[in-house]
Amino acid sequence: MLGVNRSTSELKARLRAEARGKPPPTAAESARVCRQVLGWLAPRRPGPTLVWMAIPGELDLEPVVARLPMIEWLTTRTPPAGPLTVHPYHSPLELHRFGFHQPVASVPEVPPNRIEVALVPGLAFDPWGRRLGRGKGYYDRLLGGLFANALRVGVTLDRLMAETVPVDPHDVAMTHLITDNGVREIA
C-alpha cells in the first residue's frame, strides 16, 4: 500500500496481535455498551445511522437497533472485491464466509453521503479517536466518503482502549467514542 510507513505498519501489526489476544466482550459488557449507545443516540434522533453486524467476538449492537426503530438503520456489505457498500439494515441477509451476516448482493445500495451517524467497530481505539481496524482499510475508505459533519463514533470497551494507535495518511479518526463507561466527544 502506497503511503504506508513501514514502522507504523509494524506497530499496527503488534497492536492487532495484542488486541486479538484479549478476551472477547462478555454479555454483561455488551449490555453496558448498548445502554451507553442508547442513552447517547435516543435523544439525538439522528437521520440515517450506520451500524455493523457483529462477527463472532465483537460487540453486538442489535439490541440498540431493536430499541430504536424510528432510526433509519444502515449496515455494510463486504463484497468479494472492492470497497464496503451500504444497505438498509433490515434487508434479506446472507452469511459471509467470516461468520457474520450481511445484506445479500441484490439489495439496493445507499449512498454513504446520506449517513449522519456511523457507529464503528475496531480492535482498539485511543483517547484521540484513532482507530485500529482489521488491516484492510475497508472502514477508512467508507468513512472517508462521509460528509465532513457526519458523526463517526467508535464503539468499544474501556479495557480495549489503547494508549495510542499509530496512524497512516488514509486513517480516519472518530468524532466520538462510546465505551461501557461513557461517551466522549473528541475535540
Side-chain angles (χ1 to χ4, degrees):
M1 204 181 314
L2 294 177
V4 174
N5 180 315
R6 182 184 165 125
S7 63
T8 301
S9 294
E10 290 167 357
L11 288 170
K12 284 184 173 184
R14 215 169 328 150
L15 192 54
R16 277 188 191 95
E18 203 176 287
R20 287 184 175 122
K22 294 180 180 178
T26 65
E29 287 173 326
S30 287
R32 285 196 304 273
V33 168
C34 286
R35 280 194 298 275
Q36 294 291 344
V37 174
L38 277 165
W40 182 78
L41 258 185
R44 290 178 174 280
R45 300 184 66 88
T49 300
L50 182 73
V51 65
W52 70 92
M53 292 191 175
I55 63 173
E58 270 186 334
L59 288 168
D60 186 358
L61 297 185
E62 172 62 32
V64 174
V65 174
R67 295 271 312 270
L68 298 173
M70 74 293 287
I71 292 177
E72 180 186 353
W73 290 103
L74 306 172
T75 195
T76 59
R77 174 179 168 73
T78 306
L84 293 177
T85 54
V86 177
H87 305 268
Y89 184 89
H90 298 289
S91 298
L93 302 175
E94 65 185 10
L95 191 62
H96 187 276
R97 64 187 174 101
F98 292 136
F100 60 92
H101 287 93
Q102 67 177 7
V104 297
S106 60
V107 172
E109 287 186 38
V110 175
N113 64 8
R114 288 198 56 235
I115 297 169
E116 289 184 18
V117 175
L119 301 174
V120 184
L123 291 174
F125 293 89
D126 71 15
W128 298 275
R130 295 180 292 215
R131 174 185 169 274
L132 181 71
R134 296 189 177 273
K136 302 292 184 195
Y138 289 143
Y139 263 94
D140 288 309
R141 283 191 288 282
L142 176 65
L143 296 172
L146 303 184
F147 280 126
N149 62 345
L151 302 180
R152 297 173 311 280
V153 184
V155 182
T156 191
L157 298 170
D158 262 347
R159 70 175 173 82
L160 299 180
M161 291 289 293
E163 187 175 309
T164 186
V165 170
V167 294
D168 287 306
H170 65 271
D171 291 332
V172 176
M174 304 295 104
T175 60
H176 295 75
L177 290 172
I178 299 179
T179 72
D180 45 328
N181 291 320
V183 179
R184 286 179 250 194
E185 186 170 349
I186 308 300

